Structures are given as C-alpha cells and as structure tokens.
Coordinates of all heavy atoms in Angstrom, one line a residue:
H86 N -24.1 0.0 -40.2 CA -23.0 0.9 -40.1 C -22.0 0.7 -41.3 O -21.3 1.8 -41.5 CB -22.5 0.7 -38.7 CG -21.4 1.6 -38.4 ND1 -20.3 2.0 -39.1 CD2 -21.3 2.5 -37.3 CE1 -19.6 2.8 -38.5 NE2 -20.1 3.2 -37.4
S87 N -22.0 -0.3 -41.9 CA -21.0 -0.5 -43.0 C -21.3 0.5 -44.1 O -20.3 1.1 -44.7 CB -21.0 -1.8 -43.5 OG -22.2 -2.2 -44.1
F88 N -22.6 0.8 -44.4 CA -22.7 1.9 -45.4 C -22.4 3.3 -45.0 O -21.8 4.0 -45.7 CB -24.3 1.8 -45.7 CG -24.8 3.1 -46.5 CD1 -24.3 3.1 -47.9 CD2 -25.5 4.1 -45.9 CE1 -24.8 4.2 -48.7 CE2 -25.9 5.1 -46.7 CZ -25.5 5.2 -48.0
T89 N -22.6 3.7 -43.8 CA -22.4 5.0 -43.3 C -20.9 5.2 -42.9 O -20.4 6.4 -42.7 CB -23.3 5.3 -42.1 OG1 -23.0 4.4 -41.0 CG2 -24.8 5.4 -42.5
S90 N -20.1 4.1 -42.7 CA -18.8 4.3 -42.1 C -17.9 5.1 -43.1 O -16.9 5.7 -42.7 CB -18.1 3.0 -41.9 OG -18.0 2.3 -43.0
S91 N -18.2 5.3 -44.4 CA -17.5 6.0 -45.3 C -17.6 7.6 -45.2 O -16.8 8.3 -45.6 CB -17.8 5.7 -46.8 OG -19.1 6.0 -47.1
F92 N -18.7 8.0 -44.4 CA -18.9 9.4 -44.3 C -19.4 9.8 -42.9 O -19.4 11.1 -42.6 CB -19.9 10.0 -45.4 CG -21.2 9.3 -45.3 CD1 -22.3 9.8 -44.6 CD2 -21.5 8.1 -46.0 CE1 -23.5 9.3 -44.5 CE2 -22.8 7.5 -46.0 CZ -23.8 8.1 -45.2
L93 N -19.7 8.9 -42.0 CA -20.1 9.2 -40.6 C -19.3 8.5 -39.6 O -18.8 7.4 -39.8 CB -21.6 8.8 -40.4 CG -22.6 9.6 -41.2 CD1 -24.0 8.9 -40.8 CD2 -22.6 11.0 -40.9
E94 N -19.0 9.2 -38.5 CA -18.2 8.6 -37.4 C -19.0 8.8 -36.1 O -19.9 9.7 -36.0 CB -16.9 9.4 -37.2 CG -16.1 9.4 -38.4 CD -14.8 10.4 -38.2 OE1 -14.6 10.8 -37.1 OE2 -14.3 10.7 -39.2
S95 N -18.6 8.0 -35.0 CA -19.2 8.1 -33.7 C -20.8 8.3 -33.7 O -21.3 9.2 -33.2 CB -18.6 9.4 -33.0 OG -17.2 9.3 -33.0
I96 N -21.4 7.3 -34.4 CA -22.8 7.3 -34.4 C -23.4 6.8 -33.0 O -23.0 5.8 -32.6 CB -23.3 6.4 -35.5 CG1 -22.8 6.9 -36.8 CG2 -24.9 6.3 -35.5 CD1 -23.1 6.0 -38.0
E97 N -24.3 7.7 -32.4 CA -24.9 7.3 -31.1 C -26.3 7.8 -31.1 O -26.8 8.6 -31.9 CB -24.2 8.1 -30.0 CG -22.7 7.9 -29.9 CD -22.2 8.7 -28.7 OE1 -22.8 9.6 -28.2 OE2 -21.0 8.5 -28.4
G98 N -27.2 7.1 -30.3 CA -28.5 7.4 -30.2 C -29.4 6.3 -29.8 O -29.1 5.2 -29.5
D99 N -30.7 6.7 -29.6 CA -31.8 5.7 -29.4 C -33.0 6.0 -30.3 O -33.1 7.1 -30.8 CB -32.1 5.7 -28.0 CG -32.7 7.1 -27.4 OD1 -33.0 7.9 -28.2 OD2 -32.7 7.3 -26.2
S100 N -33.8 5.0 -30.4 CA -35.0 5.1 -31.2 C -36.1 4.3 -30.7 O -35.9 3.4 -29.8 CB -34.7 4.8 -32.6 OG -34.4 3.4 -32.7
H101 N -37.3 4.6 -31.0 CA -38.4 3.8 -30.7 C -39.4 3.9 -31.9 O -39.5 4.9 -32.6 CB -39.1 4.2 -29.3 CG -39.7 5.5 -29.4 ND1 -39.1 6.7 -29.1 CD2 -41.0 5.8 -29.6 CE1 -39.9 7.7 -29.2 NE2 -41.1 7.3 -29.5
G102 N -40.2 2.8 -32.1 CA -41.2 2.8 -33.1 C -41.5 1.4 -33.5 O -41.2 0.4 -32.7
K103 N -42.0 1.2 -34.6 CA -42.4 -0.2 -35.1 C -41.7 -0.5 -36.5 O -41.8 0.3 -37.4 CB -43.9 -0.3 -35.3 CG -44.3 -1.7 -35.7 CD -45.8 -1.8 -35.8 CE -46.2 -3.2 -36.2 NZ -47.6 -3.4 -36.3
L104 N -40.9 -1.5 -36.4 CA -40.2 -1.9 -37.7 C -40.5 -3.4 -38.0 O -40.7 -4.3 -37.1 CB -38.6 -1.8 -37.5 CG -38.1 -0.4 -37.3 CD1 -36.6 -0.6 -37.1 CD2 -38.3 0.4 -38.6
N105 N -40.6 -3.7 -39.3 CA -40.8 -5.1 -39.7 C -39.5 -5.5 -40.4 O -39.0 -4.7 -41.2 CB -42.0 -5.3 -40.6 CG -43.3 -4.9 -39.9 OD1 -43.6 -5.5 -38.8 ND2 -44.1 -4.1 -40.5
V106 N -39.1 -6.8 -40.2 CA -38.0 -7.4 -40.9 C -38.6 -8.1 -42.2 O -39.5 -9.0 -42.0 CB -37.3 -8.4 -40.1 CG1 -36.0 -8.9 -40.8 CG2 -36.7 -7.6 -38.7
V107 N -38.1 -7.7 -43.3 CA -38.7 -8.2 -44.6 C -37.5 -8.7 -45.5 O -36.5 -8.2 -45.4 CB -39.6 -7.3 -45.3 CG1 -40.8 -6.8 -44.4 CG2 -38.8 -6.1 -45.8
G108 N -37.9 -9.7 -46.4 CA -36.9 -10.1 -47.4 C -36.3 -11.4 -47.0 O -36.5 -11.9 -45.9
P109 N -35.5 -12.0 -48.0 CA -34.8 -13.3 -47.8 C -33.6 -12.9 -46.8 O -33.2 -11.8 -46.6 CB -34.4 -13.6 -49.1 CG -34.2 -12.3 -49.9 CD -35.3 -11.4 -49.3
L110 N -33.2 -14.1 -46.1 CA -32.1 -13.9 -45.2 C -30.8 -13.3 -45.7 O -30.1 -12.5 -45.0 CB -31.7 -15.3 -44.7 CG -32.8 -15.9 -43.6 CD1 -32.4 -17.2 -43.1 CD2 -33.0 -15.0 -42.5
N111 N -30.5 -13.4 -47.0 CA -29.4 -12.8 -47.5 C -29.5 -11.3 -48.0 O -28.6 -10.7 -48.5 CB -28.8 -13.7 -48.7 CG -29.8 -13.7 -49.9 OD1 -31.0 -13.4 -49.8 ND2 -29.3 -14.3 -51.0
A112 N -30.8 -10.8 -47.8 CA -31.0 -9.4 -48.2 C -32.2 -8.8 -47.3 O -33.2 -8.3 -47.8 CB -31.4 -9.4 -49.7
I113 N -31.9 -8.9 -46.0 CA -32.9 -8.4 -45.1 C -33.1 -6.9 -45.1 O -32.1 -6.2 -45.3 CB -32.6 -8.9 -43.7 CG1 -32.7 -10.3 -43.6 CG2 -33.4 -8.1 -42.6 CD1 -32.3 -10.9 -42.2
N114 N -34.3 -6.4 -45.1 CA -34.6 -5.0 -44.9 C -35.4 -4.7 -43.7 O -36.2 -5.6 -43.3 CB -35.3 -4.5 -46.1 CG -34.5 -4.2 -47.3 OD1 -33.8 -3.1 -47.4 ND2 -34.4 -5.0 -48.3
L115 N -35.3 -3.5 -43.2 CA -36.2 -2.9 -42.2 C -37.2 -2.0 -42.8 O -36.9 -1.2 -43.7 CB -35.4 -2.3 -41.1 CG -34.4 -3.1 -40.4 CD1 -33.6 -2.2 -39.5 CD2 -35.0 -4.2 -39.6
V116 N -38.5 -2.2 -42.5 CA -39.6 -1.3 -42.9 C -40.4 -0.9 -41.8 O -40.8 -1.7 -41.0 CB -40.5 -2.2 -44.0 CG1 -41.6 -1.4 -44.5 CG2 -39.7 -2.6 -45.1
G117 N -40.7 0.4 -41.8 CA -41.5 0.9 -40.7 C -41.1 2.4 -40.4 O -40.3 3.1 -41.2
K118 N -41.5 2.9 -39.3 CA -41.3 4.2 -38.7 C -40.6 4.2 -37.4 O -41.1 3.4 -36.5 CB -42.6 5.1 -38.7 CG -43.1 5.4 -40.1 CD -44.4 6.2 -39.8 CE -45.1 6.5 -41.2 NZ -46.2 7.3 -41.0
I119 N -39.6 5.0 -37.3 CA -38.9 5.1 -35.9 C -38.7 6.6 -35.6 O -38.3 7.3 -36.5 CB -37.6 4.3 -35.8 CG1 -36.6 4.7 -36.9 CG2 -37.9 2.8 -35.9 CD1 -35.3 4.1 -36.8
A120 N -38.8 7.0 -34.3 CA -38.5 8.3 -33.8 C -37.0 8.1 -33.3 O -36.7 7.2 -32.6 CB -39.4 8.7 -32.7
V121 N -36.1 9.1 -33.7 CA -34.7 8.9 -33.4 C -34.3 10.2 -32.7 O -34.5 11.4 -33.1 CB -33.9 8.8 -34.7 CG1 -32.4 8.8 -34.4 CG2 -34.3 7.5 -35.5
N122 N -33.5 9.9 -31.6 CA -32.7 11.0 -30.9 C -31.3 10.5 -31.1 O -31.0 9.4 -30.6 CB -33.1 11.1 -29.4 CG -34.4 11.9 -29.3 OD1 -34.6 13.0 -29.8 ND2 -35.4 11.3 -28.7
G123 N -30.4 11.3 -31.6 CA -29.0 10.7 -31.7 C -28.2 11.8 -32.3 O -28.4 12.9 -32.5
S124 N -26.9 11.3 -32.6 CA -25.9 12.2 -33.1 C -24.9 11.5 -33.9 O -24.7 10.2 -33.7 CB -25.2 13.1 -32.1 OG -24.6 12.3 -31.0
A125 N -24.2 12.1 -34.8 CA -23.1 11.5 -35.6 C -22.1 12.8 -36.1 O -22.6 13.9 -36.2 CB -23.6 10.7 -36.8
T126 N -20.9 12.4 -36.3 CA -20.0 13.3 -36.8 C -19.9 13.1 -38.4 O -19.6 11.9 -38.7 CB -18.6 13.1 -36.2 OG1 -18.8 13.4 -34.8 CG2 -17.6 14.1 -36.7
V127 N -20.0 14.1 -39.1 CA -19.7 13.9 -40.6 C -18.3 14.1 -40.9 O -17.7 15.1 -40.5 CB -20.6 15.1 -41.3 CG1 -20.2 15.1 -42.8 CG2 -22.0 15.0 -41.1
S128 N -17.7 13.0 -41.3 CA -16.2 12.8 -41.4 C -15.5 14.1 -42.2 O -14.7 14.6 -41.8 CB -15.8 11.6 -42.0 OG -16.4 10.5 -41.3
A129 N -16.1 14.3 -43.4 CA -15.5 15.3 -44.2 C -15.6 16.8 -43.6 O -14.7 17.6 -43.8 CB -16.3 15.3 -45.5
L130 N -16.5 17.0 -42.7 CA -16.7 18.3 -42.1 C -16.1 18.4 -40.7 O -15.8 19.5 -40.2 CB -18.1 18.7 -42.1 CG -18.9 18.7 -43.4 CD1 -20.4 19.0 -43.1 CD2 -18.4 19.7 -44.3
G131 N -15.9 17.3 -40.0 CA -15.4 17.2 -38.7 C -16.4 17.9 -37.7 O -16.1 18.3 -36.6
C132 N -17.7 17.9 -38.1 CA -18.8 18.5 -37.3 C -19.8 17.5 -36.8 O -20.1 16.6 -37.7 CB -19.5 19.6 -38.1 SG -20.6 20.6 -37.1
R133 N -20.2 17.6 -35.6 CA -21.2 16.6 -35.0 C -22.6 17.2 -35.2 O -22.8 18.5 -34.8 CB -20.9 16.4 -33.5 CG -21.7 15.3 -32.9 CD -21.0 14.7 -31.7 NE -21.7 13.5 -31.4 CZ -21.4 12.3 -32.0 NH1 -20.6 12.2 -33.0 NH2 -22.1 11.2 -31.6
Y134 N -23.5 16.4 -35.6 CA -24.9 16.9 -35.8 C -25.8 16.0 -34.9 O -25.5 14.8 -34.8 CB -25.3 16.7 -37.3 CG -24.6 17.8 -38.1 CD1 -23.5 17.5 -38.9 CD2 -25.1 19.1 -38.2 CE1 -22.8 18.4 -39.6 CE2 -24.4 20.0 -39.1 CZ -23.2 19.6 -39.7 OH -22.6 20.6 -40.5
H135 N -26.9 16.6 -34.4 CA -27.8 15.9 -33.5 C -29.2 15.8 -34.2 O -29.6 16.9 -34.7 CB -27.8 16.6 -32.2 CG -26.5 16.8 -31.6 ND1 -26.0 15.9 -30.7 CD2 -25.6 17.8 -31.7 CE1 -24.8 16.4 -30.3 NE2 -24.5 17.5 -31.0
L136 N -29.9 14.7 -34.2 CA -31.2 14.5 -34.7 C -32.1 15.0 -33.4 O -31.8 14.5 -32.2 CB -31.5 13.1 -35.0 CG -30.9 12.7 -36.3 CD1 -31.1 11.2 -36.6 CD2 -31.3 13.5 -37.5
L137 N -33.2 15.6 -33.6 CA -34.0 16.2 -32.6 C -35.3 15.5 -32.4 O -36.3 16.1 -32.2 CB -34.2 17.7 -32.9 CG -33.0 18.5 -33.2 CD1 -33.3 19.9 -33.5 CD2 -32.1 18.5 -31.9
G138 N -35.3 14.1 -32.5 CA -36.5 13.4 -32.2 C -37.5 13.2 -33.3 O -38.7 12.9 -33.1
D139 N -37.1 13.5 -34.6 CA -38.0 13.4 -35.6 C -38.2 11.9 -36.0 O -37.4 11.0 -35.7 CB -37.5 14.2 -36.9 CG -37.8 15.6 -36.7 OD1 -38.9 16.0 -36.1 OD2 -37.0 16.4 -37.1
T140 N -39.2 11.7 -36.9 CA -39.5 10.3 -37.3 C -38.8 10.0 -38.7 O -38.9 10.8 -39.6 CB -41.0 10.1 -37.4 OG1 -41.6 10.3 -36.1 CG2 -41.3 8.6 -37.8
L141 N -38.1 8.9 -38.8 CA -37.6 8.4 -40.0 C -38.4 7.3 -40.6 O -39.0 6.5 -39.8 CB -36.1 7.8 -39.8 CG -35.1 8.7 -39.1 CD1 -33.8 8.0 -39.0 CD2 -34.9 10.1 -39.8
L142 N -38.6 7.3 -41.9 CA -39.4 6.3 -42.5 C -38.4 5.3 -43.2 O -37.6 5.8 -44.0 CB -40.3 6.9 -43.6 CG -41.1 6.0 -44.5 CD1 -42.1 5.0 -43.6 CD2 -41.9 6.8 -45.5
L143 N -38.5 4.1 -42.9 CA -37.6 3.1 -43.5 C -38.4 2.2 -44.5 O -39.4 1.8 -44.2 CB -37.0 2.1 -42.5 CG -35.9 2.8 -41.7 CD1 -36.3 3.7 -40.6 CD2 -35.0 1.7 -41.0
K144 N -37.9 2.2 -45.7 CA -38.4 1.3 -46.8 C -37.3 0.4 -47.3 O -36.1 0.6 -47.0 CB -38.8 2.2 -48.0 CG -40.0 3.2 -47.6 CD -40.4 4.1 -48.9 CE -41.5 5.0 -48.6 NZ -42.0 5.7 -49.8
P145 N -37.6 -0.6 -48.1 CA -36.5 -1.5 -48.5 C -35.4 -0.6 -49.3 O -35.7 0.1 -50.1 CB -37.3 -2.4 -49.6 CG -38.6 -2.5 -49.0 CD -39.0 -1.1 -48.5
D146 N -34.2 -0.9 -48.7 CA -33.1 -0.2 -49.2 C -33.1 1.4 -49.2 O -32.3 2.0 -49.9 CB -32.7 -0.7 -50.7 CG -32.5 -2.2 -50.8 OD1 -31.9 -2.6 -49.9 OD2 -33.1 -2.7 -51.7
T147 N -34.0 1.9 -48.4 CA -34.1 3.4 -48.3 C -34.4 3.9 -46.9 O -35.1 3.2 -46.2 CB -35.3 3.8 -49.2 OG1 -35.0 3.4 -50.6 CG2 -35.5 5.4 -49.4
I148 N -33.9 5.0 -46.6 CA -34.2 5.8 -45.3 C -34.7 7.1 -45.9 O -34.0 7.8 -46.5 CB -33.0 5.9 -44.5 CG1 -32.5 4.5 -43.9 CG2 -33.5 6.8 -43.2 CD1 -31.3 4.7 -43.1
V149 N -36.0 7.4 -45.6 CA -36.6 8.7 -46.0 C -36.4 9.7 -45.0 O -36.7 9.5 -43.8 CB -38.1 8.5 -46.3 CG1 -38.7 9.8 -46.8 CG2 -38.4 7.4 -47.4
L150 N -35.7 10.8 -45.4 CA -35.5 11.9 -44.6 C -36.3 13.1 -45.1 O -36.1 13.7 -46.0 CB -33.9 12.3 -44.6 CG -33.0 11.2 -44.2 CD1 -31.6 11.7 -44.5 CD2 -33.2 10.8 -42.8
D151 N -37.4 13.4 -44.3 CA -38.4 14.4 -44.8 C -38.5 15.4 -43.8 O -39.3 15.1 -42.8 CB -39.8 13.7 -45.2 CG -40.7 14.7 -45.8 OD1 -40.3 15.7 -46.4 OD2 -41.9 14.3 -45.6
N152 N -37.9 16.6 -43.9 CA -37.9 17.7 -43.0 C -37.5 17.3 -41.6 O -38.1 17.6 -40.5 CB -39.4 18.2 -42.9 CG -39.9 18.9 -44.1 OD1 -39.0 19.7 -44.8 ND2 -41.0 18.7 -44.6
I153 N -36.4 16.6 -41.5 CA -35.7 16.1 -40.3 C -34.9 17.3 -39.8 O -34.0 17.8 -40.4 CB -34.8 14.9 -40.6 CG1 -35.6 13.7 -41.2 CG2 -34.1 14.5 -39.3 CD1 -36.7 13.3 -40.4
R154 N -35.2 17.6 -38.5 CA -34.5 18.7 -37.9 C -33.1 18.2 -37.3 O -33.1 17.2 -36.6 CB -35.4 19.3 -36.7 CG -36.7 19.8 -37.2 CD -37.6 20.2 -36.1 NE -37.9 19.0 -35.3 CZ -38.0 18.9 -34.0 NH1 -37.9 19.9 -33.3 NH2 -38.3 17.7 -33.4
I155 N -32.2 19.0 -37.5 CA -30.8 18.7 -36.9 C -30.3 20.0 -36.3 O -30.7 21.1 -36.6 CB -29.8 18.2 -38.0 CG1 -29.6 19.3 -39.1 CG2 -30.2 16.9 -38.6 CD1 -28.4 19.0 -40.0
R156 N -29.2 19.8 -35.4 CA -28.5 21.0 -34.9 C -27.1 20.5 -34.7 O -26.8 19.3 -34.5 CB -29.3 21.3 -33.6 CG -28.4 21.5 -32.3 CD -29.1 21.7 -31.1 NE -29.2 20.6 -30.2 CZ -28.2 20.1 -29.6 NH1 -27.0 20.6 -29.8 NH2 -28.4 19.1 -28.8
D157 N -26.1 21.5 -34.8 CA -24.8 21.1 -34.6 C -24.3 21.5 -33.1 O -25.1 22.0 -32.4 CB -23.9 21.9 -35.6 CG -23.8 23.4 -35.5 OD1 -24.3 23.9 -34.5 OD2 -23.4 24.0 -36.4
D158 N -23.1 21.3 -32.8 CA -22.6 21.5 -31.5 C -22.6 22.9 -31.0 O -22.5 23.4 -29.9 CB -21.2 21.0 -31.2 CG -21.2 19.4 -31.2 OD1 -22.2 18.9 -30.8 OD2 -20.1 18.8 -31.4
F159 N -22.8 23.9 -32.1 CA -22.8 25.3 -31.8 C -24.2 25.8 -31.7 O -24.4 27.0 -31.5 CB -22.0 26.1 -32.9 CG -20.6 25.6 -33.0 CD1 -20.3 24.8 -34.0 CD2 -19.7 26.0 -32.1 CE1 -18.9 24.4 -34.2 CE2 -18.4 25.7 -32.2 CZ -18.0 24.8 -33.2
G160 N -25.2 25.0 -31.7 CA -26.7 25.3 -31.6 C -27.3 25.8 -32.9 O -28.4 26.1 -32.9
E161 N -26.5 25.7 -34.0 CA -27.1 26.1 -35.2 C -28.0 25.0 -35.8 O -27.7 23.8 -35.6 CB -26.0 26.4 -36.4 CG -25.1 27.6 -36.0 CD -25.9 28.9 -35.9 OE1 -26.8 29.1 -36.7 OE2 -25.5 29.7 -35.1
Q162 N -29.2 25.4 -36.3 CA -30.2 24.4 -36.7 C -30.4 24.3 -38.3 O -30.1 25.3 -38.9 CB -31.5 24.6 -36.0 CG -31.4 24.4 -34.6 CD -32.8 24.4 -33.8 OE1 -33.8 24.1 -34.5 NE2 -32.9 24.8 -32.6
G163 N -30.8 23.1 -38.7 CA -31.0 23.0 -40.1 C -32.1 21.9 -40.3 O -32.5 21.3 -39.4
T164 N -32.3 21.7 -41.6 CA -33.3 20.7 -42.0 C -32.8 19.8 -43.1 O -32.3 20.2 -44.0 CB -34.7 21.3 -42.5 OG1 -35.1 22.3 -41.4 CG2 -35.8 20.3 -42.8
I165 N -33.0 18.5 -43.0 CA -32.6 17.5 -44.1 C -33.8 17.1 -44.8 O -34.8 16.8 -44.1 CB -31.9 16.3 -43.4 CG1 -30.7 16.7 -42.6 CG2 -31.5 15.3 -44.5 CD1 -30.0 15.6 -41.9
N166 N -33.7 17.1 -46.0 CA -34.8 16.6 -46.9 C -34.2 15.6 -48.0 O -33.0 15.6 -48.3 CB -35.5 17.7 -47.7 CG -36.4 18.6 -46.8 OD1 -37.2 18.0 -46.2 ND2 -36.1 19.9 -46.7

C-alpha cells in the first residue's frame, strides 16, 4: 500500500489464486496469478473504480494489467492495459 498511497485511497477487495514469495528478506516479491474483486478511489479524480474479477499477473517488482475490466460508481466501464 505504501506505493499506491500517493494516488489511490480506500483500497478494498478480496482475491484468490496462487502466489509464491521470492527473493531475499530485504526485497521480497510476490510472483503468480490472482483473481481480484475490489475497488479503490483514484485520488486525483475523486472517482471510485471497481475491478470485475479479472486475473492479475504478479512478477518481481511488476503487476501486469492486461485487459483488466473496471467500472466506476456510475456504471461506466473501461479497460486497463
């Protein structure tokens, strides 16, 4: 959350999948795939966005967003790549 706190607020949600913890203790990374249902507010926009159960790929120091479906509180939908 320390990375996202500069641009996201009120992060909520749940996930399931398989993650591996890799790397030395002073630089731990999560690697694997997780399905996420959740929401967060983009601070600069003041708008809440919801993830619609898509799968995120986690690599060392990276979260891959590939055709991730989102929707705002007004029901408008979009895709993150």
Side-chain angles (χ1 to χ4, degrees):
H86 186 304
S87 61
F88 167 72
T89 60
S90 64
S91 65
F92 59 93
L93 293 178
E94 304 170 13
S95 305
I96 300 170
E97 300 176 353
D99 58 17
S100 64
H101 67 275
K103 183 177 180 181
L104 294 175
N105 294 311
V106 178
V107 300
L110 289 177
N111 64 346
I113 290 176
N114 275 285
L115 298 175
V116 176
K118 292 182 181 181
I119 56 172
V121 177
N122 285 301
S124 60
T126 300
V127 176
S128 304
L130 302 176
C132 187
R133 188 153 194 83
Y134 292 95
H135 306 268
L136 292 174
L137 306 175
D139 284 322
T140 299
L141 304 180
L142 175 62
L143 283 75
K144 296 181 177 183
D146 300 316
T147 304
I148 300 174
V149 179
L150 304 172
D151 187 24
N152 293 317
I153 303 298
R154 298 170 298 145
I155 61 169
R156 128 182 108 67
D157 66 15
D158 284 339
F159 302 104
E161 298 296 325
Q162 295 191 24
T164 304
I165 299 175
N166 286 301

